[in-house]
Amino acid sequence: MTDIEYGRRRRPLRVRGRKLGRNLGWVPPLLLLVGIVLLDFNTSERFRIITWIVLVPGTAAAICGVWTTGAFAVLAVATYVAVDSAWPGEYRAGLGDFVLVAVGGLLAVIACAVRLRKERQTLHIQDIAETTRRTVLRPLPARWGGLEHAGVYLAADVDARVGGDFYDIQPGPHGTRLFVGDVQGKGLGAVETAAALLGTFREAGYHEADLATVAERLEMRMLRHRRHTTALGREDGDRFATAVLIGFPEDAEESIDVVNFGHEPPLAIGPRGVRELPSGDGLPLGFGDLVEGLPPVHRVPLAADETLLLVTDGVTEARDRRGTFYPLALELAPAAGAGPDRAGPSRLVWLVRDGVLRHSGGRLSDDTTVFAVRRAREAAGEDGEEGRLRS
């Protein structure tokens, strides 16, 4: 199963595995306060900087809690009074600067409270996004439906956790089916469309004996979904999805059935090299009413020592600074001749993931999914145990 890549929640700073005073956020403002006091005492009366102590609660507001910020605001006022009183009367900063420090501390406490409220709202939104992700991209066992698999989803938006890319494996009485695709567009509309297609796949992929019937059900679901969104007055009534539907028939262990809805062609990687499976000879899901018939079902060979790699266009369209596309086949060539262990799902997914990020300099222009599967071997190898990739 995959693990999505995104920014982690901020965690308390730990030293030697223990929390120090819950965190060490109080250290910088305390050091700043001490430094201002020492500098004020070690400069002449012409360069009084005790007023700079207003920066102490401001610094605390950015990295500490409300109570800690309030404590620094009070400490700053008290320190200001004590230090300023130690100077002769004619050199004291005066009432105006005292008011500045007091008001600055009060504003720092308010700013800290606003910051923490925004952080709580952000974490709540992230929790909702995480729930949505697990609903659309449900967790899968490391070995599922007789397949070893691994995958990773890279969000183009660093704050996003799910987009229009989707994948799933559905075992059933008619063999295991695999579904990988990419919904056109971004945002909640794309997520909603992906969820609709995956729901239909999970039902039809289990019950329908004929893979062509599953493909027909997916096309019909896409058309129904578009009609529904159009009736609601939304502007995504022309949305479509490229996808690959693959069946692993139980009566043909050296072959797979492939229906390609205008998606990037799957790649088979094994000791004999890298080969491309049938390309997208059909239109994407949602365009079936423009032509007669759906894409054909191709039965193609897939040896037991070959791994099937499927990617979305975020991989093939990744560019470097010079505009050069990511050379996927070239990157996979060394792994192809390195044996089944080196060309297993986990290793291939990590290879492509790292290659795309390196090639694009970490600047992804589109959501990117890399998914790899192969028929499970008798004994779980390294790749079978590492089906769940972690970022």
Side-chain angles (χ1 to χ4, degrees), residues 140-367:
L140 299 173
R143 294 164 64 92
W144 182 237
L147 301 177
E148 298 175 13
H149 66 90
V152 67
Y153 170 74
L154 305 174
D157 182 356
V158 70
D159 295 323
R161 298 194 176 200
V162 67
D165 289 5
F166 58 86
Y167 54 83
D168 201 5
I169 296 174
Q170 181 58 60
H174 309 292
T176 299
R177 273 73 184 266
L178 169 66
F179 191 39
V180 177
D182 179 11
V183 176
Q184 172 265 336
K186 299 182 182 297
L188 293 178
V191 176
E192 182 183 7
T193 303
L197 290 173
L198 285 172
T200 298
F201 165 73
R202 290 160 187 165
E203 291 301 312
Y206 181 88
H207 292 288
E208 299 294 345
D210 188 3
L211 193 66
T213 304
V214 179
E216 183 179 358
R217 292 275 300 276
L218 290 169
E219 175 65 28
M220 182 57 64
R221 184 68 180 93
M222 188 68 190
L223 294 176
R224 289 170 51 207
H225 180 73
R226 286 172 51 177
R227 285 196 293 266
H228 178 256
T229 56
T230 301
L232 291 175
R234 288 162 44 178
E235 298 180 355
D236 55 353
D238 59 348
R239 195 181 296 276
F240 61 89
T242 62
V244 178
L245 177 63
I246 297 176
F248 292 81
E250 296 179 342
D251 58 349
E253 296 184 356
E254 295 289 326
S255 300
I256 59 173
D257 296 326
V258 181
V259 182
N260 195 320
F261 294 93
H263 194 73
E264 300 291 336
L267 298 176
I269 300 97
R272 291 165 294 281
V274 180
R275 61 187 178 89
E276 187 176 287
L277 272 60
S279 60
D281 47 9
L283 294 179
L285 288 165
F287 289 162
D289 53 350
L290 301 180
V291 296
E292 293 184 3
L294 296 174
V297 178
H298 295 279
R299 174 156 290 193
V300 296
L302 183 71
D305 57 0
E306 287 184 309
T307 299
L308 194 62
L309 181 71
L310 302 101
V311 301
T312 57
D313 55 10
V315 172
T316 56
E317 296 181 3
R319 303 188 185 211
D320 59 13
R321 293 184 179 273
R322 295 171 295 182
T324 305
F325 289 108
Y326 174 65
L328 177 60
L330 185 63
E331 290 280 332
L332 293 173
D341 290 335
R342 299 292 296 178
S346 292
R347 294 185 184 277
L348 287 180
V349 167
W350 279 118
L351 175 65
V352 176
R353 168 196 177 274
D354 293 344
V356 168
L357 291 176
R358 182 176 60 251
H359 184 79
S360 64
R363 301 178 304 275
L364 299 175
S365 59
D366 195 5
D367 294 342

Side-chain angles (χ1 to χ4, degrees), residues 113-156:
V114 172
R115 173 183 65 85
L116 292 177
R117 184 178 65 179
K118 293 294 184 181
E119 287 184 355
R120 285 192 294 268
Q121 291 175 347
T122 300
L123 291 177
H124 180 63
I125 292 173
Q126 289 178 347
D127 287 338
I128 295 174
E130 175 69 11
T131 302
T132 303
R133 179 181 78 89
R134 291 190 173 273
T135 301
V136 178
L137 304 180
R138 62 176 180 176
L140 299 173
R143 294 164 64 92
W144 182 237
L147 301 177
E148 298 175 13
H149 66 90
V152 67
Y153 170 74
L154 305 174

